[in-house]
Amino acid sequence: MDEPEELERLRARVAELEARQRSRRRPVRSLLAALLIVLGCVLAPLSVVASWSADVIGDTGRYVKTVEPLADDPDIQREAARRVTDAVMTHLDLTALLSGAAPAERPRLEKALGKLGDSIEDAVRSFVHDKAQSVIASDTFQRVWREANRRVHSAVEEALTGSGDGALRIDTDTVTLDLGPVVEQVKQRLVDEGMGVAAKIPPVHTNLTLVEAEDIGRVRTYFRLSQLAGTWLPVLSVALLTAGVLLARNRRRALIAGAAGFALATALLGVGLTVARVLYLDALPAGLSQPAAGSVYDVLTRFLRRAVRVVVALGAVTALAAWLTGPGPRATWVRRLWTACIGAVRHVADRAGLRTGPVGPFVRRFRGWIVWGLVAAAVLTYLLWSYPTGWVVFGLALALLFALAVVEFLAAPSEDPVSVP
């Protein structure tokens, strides 16, 4: 065998060995890519929770904005009025109420209470409850609530650690709001209405229980950990997903699967929040108001639910965009239909005498750069948007779609002018 033939045989043998080596590496590479994508999807809901807790707990303004609607919630106000009424009635001396009243005050007091009937206690309780409701419906309760959530350096630190001397606290298994300032306002209104004996009520501190759970101390620990992970866990999740897509043999298919899995895993978090609400309310003690506790749960998790909708919308838009730009027959058909529709519009515009002038050739020449510029602008807008919602994601996607349609319209070649008789 001469030297050229031997060299050719060796080259063929080397090529065969390299092909075998690549075939052995492909399963490992595909398995690793799939593992990274799965890990990224699994971390997606945890990332949303971590980012939400770090954002809400670490930002005083954001936290106050989250809990402020609770002060106006009807269920919370009814429960607070009931607690204040019970506290006042416990310390109100009904025996001395009428007998100790001054003769000048007696007619005004009897007029305020109305017909006492057989039970002076029921009449007085109803009267006190009305005054408590009027105080809680005023700015007093809202001011107490806001001050309790802004005290010291941040309301979040005070609420979750129990530090400071504000009205909102977390003890071993409860989150409570001290209604003492509200009781003082109710006492003053009772005195103004002629119930002078109410001035003898000592300072009262009664608590409105907002959340009760046996493991709330553990939840507080989880919040602290999630606050630490709030910055890096979302980055890690996206990095794992990106690495898996780049490592995959079919990157487009991997991107579609990863984005869809990312959205699905986060959607399961939204379902879990709904299920957790039912389980939480069912586990409440009999003495707590379920409507009030439900309002607290809904308000505290509303920004988390918004974050879930954002991630689901973002994953769905990304998966759809990756599929539409792919070589599949259905995607190709959709793109042809898109081009045909824009071509029809351009044909009508040409027949109407509309011309793009020098803009058309310019857009046609730099269409690729313009398209990528529009995509980058949409992504940058999303990243710079403060607290985007799911509707913001879909709105940006529709705006980008419209901009791409305009580019396609301008880039389409013009027809020759048609002479109209």
Side-chain angles (χ1 to χ4, degrees), residues 38-372:
V38 170
L39 286 176
C41 294
V42 169
L43 290 179
L46 300 178
S47 302
V48 173
V49 174
S51 180
W52 164 78
S53 61
D55 185 27
V56 173
I57 297 172
D59 187 343
T60 301
R62 182 72 165 170
Y63 179 79
V64 171
K65 185 178 179 181
T66 300
V67 300
E68 197 168 18
L70 287 174
D72 297 320
D73 185 88
D75 295 319
I76 295 292
Q77 290 185 349
R78 278 193 292 269
E79 181 65 12
R82 185 181 71 84
R83 293 298 180 94
V84 170
T85 302
D86 292 342
V88 172
M89 292 298 297
T90 301
H91 296 84
L92 194 62
D93 189 354
L94 297 179
T95 303
L97 178 60
L98 292 177
S99 61
E105 295 180 354
R106 189 186 301 269
R108 185 159 61 113
L109 180 59
E110 291 178 347
K111 181 179 180 181
L113 293 177
K115 292 184 178 181
L116 300 180
D118 297 330
S119 176
I120 184 175
E121 182 177 357
D122 291 342
V124 173
R125 174 176 287 274
S126 177
F127 181 70
V128 172
H129 187 267
D130 290 342
K131 299 308 171 186
Q133 281 187 322
S134 64
V135 170
I136 290 174
S138 66
D139 294 337
T140 300
F141 188 61
Q142 285 79 359
R143 185 172 61 254
V144 169
W145 188 270
R146 286 193 298 268
E147 290 175 356
N149 286 281
R150 289 186 180 275
R151 202 167 180 88
V152 191
H153 295 291
S154 79
V156 176
E157 179 181 355
E158 180 179 341
L160 291 181
T161 63
S163 62
D165 53 357
L168 189 64
R169 288 189 174 279
I170 292 184
D171 297 321
T172 303
D173 58 356
T174 57
V175 181
T176 58
L177 175 68
D178 183 13
L179 297 176
V182 180
V183 175
E184 293 298 321
Q185 291 287 330
V186 174
K187 286 166 51 179
Q188 186 59 47
R189 293 206 179 189
L190 292 176
V191 172
D192 294 341
E193 292 290 340
M195 193 179 291
V197 70
K200 299 180 180 180
I201 298 177
V204 178
H205 294 279
T206 182
N207 293 327
L208 170 63
T209 300
L210 300 179
V211 180
E212 180 166 333
E214 295 181 357
D215 58 348
I216 197 158
R218 193 187 314 165
V219 172
R220 180 171 53 194
T221 302
Y222 291 160
F223 264 35
R224 291 173 180 170
L225 293 176
S226 64
Q227 187 177 5
L228 295 175
T231 302
W232 297 108
L233 198 56
V235 176
L236 178 60
S237 178
V238 174
L240 289 173
L241 187 62
T242 304
V245 171
L246 295 177
L247 194 60
R249 292 180 57 193
N250 192 328
R251 294 177 178 175
R252 188 184 303 277
R253 186 178 300 174
L255 178 58
I256 296 173
F262 207 83
L264 179 60
T266 309
L268 292 178
L269 171 61
V271 175
L273 289 175
T274 303
V275 175
R277 185 184 190 276
V278 176
L279 297 177
Y280 165 68
L281 294 180
D282 289 342
L284 287 176
L288 292 182
S289 171
Q290 284 205 355
S295 298
V296 173
Y297 184 91
D298 293 339
V299 168
L300 290 178
T301 59
R302 78 182 194 275
F303 286 121
L304 179 57
R305 292 181 182 274
R306 178 184 297 180
V308 168
R309 290 192 289 268
V310 169
V311 174
V312 170
L314 194 60
V317 168
T318 303
L320 182 62
W323 176 76
L324 286 174
T325 56
R330 291 187 179 88
T332 303
W333 180 84
V334 171
R335 291 198 304 271
R336 288 177 178 173
L337 179 62
W338 163 272
T339 304
C341 292
I342 294 178
V345 174
R346 182 59 187 270
H347 175 72
V348 173
D350 286 337
R351 291 185 64 86
L354 298 178
R355 297 292 180 267
T356 60
V359 177
F362 175 83
V363 173
R364 193 157 48 246
R365 180 180 179 184
F366 298 101
R367 177 164 52 182
W369 288 98
I370 295 175
V371 168
W372 282 111

